[in-house]
Structure formats: C-alpha cells, structure tokens
Amino acid sequence: QVQLVESGGGLVQPGGSLRLSCAASGFTFSNSAMKWVRQAPGKALEWVSGIGSSGRSTNYGNSVKGRFTISRDNAKNMLYLQMNSLKPEDTAVYYCANDRGEKGQGTQVTVSS
C-alpha cells in the first residue's frame, strides 16, 4: 500500500522559510520520479517542482524558481522541499506525489504577517 506522508508545514511570515518533508513507503521510491504540487483555496492544483529518480535532475515552476529547492534521500525514502523567501501567494496545501500520480494528505503552508 502506497503511503506518502507530508510534514513541515505551518504559519510563517513573508520572507521566511520552511522545509517540507515527505515520507514514502509501499513502492520503490528510488525508481520513481517525484514532485511537489500545491493547491490554494479556490484554485486548481499547481505543479511546483519535480525531481528525477536519482535526484540529479530537478525542475521548478516559474513562480517558485530561485526560491524553492527540491531534494531527495533515496536511502531514507524521503523527499524534501526547502522553501525560502516565502510570499503570501505561496499559501496552499502542499502535496508530494509519485510518478503514478499518487499523493499524500498534504501539509498546510500559510504565509502571512
């Protein structure tokens, strides 16, 4: 059974940082490209960042490029998203997803003063 469990969200002021984590199990994590997506209230799901199975290739949405960094630890079956210089428009529920589109329950990120 696939499990993806996100954590690390919270309330942060504009300009602050958060690090999201995603613990994966139930599939061969090291063989799967992974991604982070987010959904703001009343908006569609938005792709944020992706990483190849080895971690060597990464890509980012234009809205987060230069501020967010995706990484993974295949030995620990963990995916991360380091988020810096956060803006109010980054407020959303953040989900990690595998290459089959399965995703976790999400973690709330709220950027507000």
Side-chain angles (χ1 to χ4, degrees):
Q1 180 181 349
V2 171
Q3 279 200 313
L4 294 161
V5 181
E6 302 92 340
S7 61
L11 173 64
V12 64
Q13 292 187 341
S17 298
L18 282 174
R19 189 193 195 206
L20 305 185
S21 299
C22 170
S25 62
F27 64 103
T28 306
F29 180 77
S30 58
N31 288 349
S32 177
M34 297 292 295
K35 61 185 175 184
W36 288 97
V37 296
R38 67 186 182 185
Q39 189 162 29
K43 295 191 176 181
L45 206 61
E46 177 190 9
W47 174 81
V48 173
S49 179
I51 187 167
S53 58
S54 69
R56 285 194 294 269
S57 65
T58 60
N59 43 60
Y60 300 91
N62 288 335
S63 61
V64 307
K65 200 171 295 184
R67 300 187 297 122
F68 291 10
T69 302
I70 190 171
S71 62
R72 65 191 296 161
D73 184 337
N74 284 347
K76 296 181 179 179
N77 285 5
M78 293 293 295
L79 178 72
Y80 304 101
L81 186 69
Q82 177 67 43
M83 306 187 296
N84 298 329
S85 303
L86 282 160
K87 304 175 181 180
E89 51 264 44
D90 294 318
T91 295
V93 178
Y94 284 71
Y95 303 89
C96 64
N98 63 15
D99 59 6
R100 292 180 288 192
E102 295 159 314
K103 63 183 191 293
Q105 83 292 342
T107 186
Q108 175 71 47
V109 172
T110 303
V111 185
S112 175
S113 54

